[in-house]
Amino acid sequence: MKFQLVSLFSLLLSSATAAPSSPPEPKTFDIMALRSASPIHFSQVSAAKSGLFLDLPAQNATCKGDESKGSATFYVENEELVLYSSEGVKQKVFVDRSGMGQGIVGYITGDASLPRYGELKGWKVDADQNLWFKDTGLIACPNSIDGSWKIWLDLGLQQPGGNTGCLGFTARTLEIAKPVSCQYTQV
Ligand SMILES: *[C@@H]1O[C@H](CO)[C@@H](O)[C@H](O)[C@H]1NC(C)=O
C-alpha cells in the first residue's frame, strides 16, 4: 500500500513537470487571395509602408533570414492580427470602419497610436481557414504602389477611398511551420 502511494505520488509529480506552463505559440500563416477568373486569384498578401497589398513585387522588409520573401507572415492572438516577428516590438494590423476611413487597413509598430477610429480586435480565422474582421471580408484596389493592389476592409463600398476597379476576395490563410521574423516598413 505504502509503495503504491509513493509510486502514485512520483507519477503525479512527473506528469506535472512534463506539462508546459506557457501557452503554445500561435499558428503563423501567410495569406492568399481567392477570386476566381481575376488577376488577383492566388496572389499573396504583402506588408509594406504601413499597408497590406496583393502582387507587390518587393516588401523591402528587414528579416532574419530570407529577406527576399515576398509575402508577409501573420498570426492571430486575442483577436488581433499581428505580423510575425521574434523581436519584442509588435506590428499589429488595424481597420478603420468609420465614414472617413472607408475600411482602410494598415498596421502600427509598437505602442504607436492608432488612428482615431482604428480598431485592432475582431480578427478571426474560420473553420475553412479564411480570415475575417468581425464577419467582414477584404477587397483589393488596383494601381497602387509598384503596380500592386491595395487591401481594404470590404464595407460594401464600390470605390473605397475613391479607388476604382476594386475586387472583393476570400483571404485564405496558409499555415507556415517555420516563419521568417520580419520588421515591415512604415510610412
Ligand atoms: C522596394 O525597393 C525598391 C528598390 O529601392 C523600390 O523600387 C520599391 O518601390 C520598394 N518597394 C516598397 C514597397 O517600398
Side-chain angles (χ1 to χ4, degrees):
M1 184 60 187
K2 192 172 186 180
F3 173 75
Q4 277 178 348
L5 261 179
V6 167
S7 56
L8 182 67
F9 186 69
S10 62
L11 191 73
L12 283 172
L13 202 68
S14 63
S15 65
T17 50
S21 55
S22 57
E25 289 276 299
K27 278 184 184 159
T28 49
F29 54 83
D30 284 12
I31 304 170
M32 180 175 71
L34 298 179
R35 170 77 191 234
S36 58
S38 89
I40 58 167
H41 198 38
F42 300 139
S43 295
Q44 301 262 327
V45 173
S46 303
K49 296 183 169 172
S50 310
L52 301 184
F53 302 88
L54 294 175
D55 289 341
L56 185 69
Q59 305 181 108
N60 301 337
T62 305
C63 304
K64 286 184 181 169
D66 187 5
E67 296 270 349
S68 65
K69 187 168 171 281
S71 54
T73 303
F74 306 83
Y75 59 91
V76 172
E77 184 179 62
N78 302 323
E79 284 191 44
E80 293 181 341
L81 183 61
V82 187
L83 284 154
Y84 176 76
S85 171
S86 58
E87 307 286 337
V89 177
K90 287 185 177 175
Q91 296 185 301
K92 295 179 179 178
V93 180
F94 67 85
V95 299
D96 183 340
R97 300 186 292 169
S98 71
M100 284 286 284
Q102 302 202 350
I104 201 162
V105 174
Y107 57 85
I108 53 167
T109 301
D111 54 12
S113 58
L114 276 173
R116 185 161 176 199
Y117 297 107
E119 296 172 87
L120 292 172
K121 281 188 193 284
W123 295 100
K124 62 158 193 266
V125 176
D126 70 12
D128 296 324
Q129 309 306 320
N130 297 326
L131 179 73
W132 301 90
F133 185 87
K134 297 187 193 270
D135 301 321
T136 303
L138 301 175
I139 188 169
C141 303
N143 308 313
S144 191
I145 52 172
D146 299 338
S148 67
W149 295 60
K150 184 154 195 338
I151 294 174
W152 298 70
L153 195 66
D154 189 356
L155 298 179
L157 303 172
Q158 286 292 326
Q159 301 185 4
N163 293 284
T164 56
C166 307
L167 293 175
F169 66 91
T170 299
R172 173 67 47 84
T173 63
L174 306 169
E175 200 174 326
I176 300 287
K178 288 194 179 129
V180 175
S181 169
C182 297
Q183 281 288 118
Y184 299 87
T185 56
Q186 291 279 147
V187 268

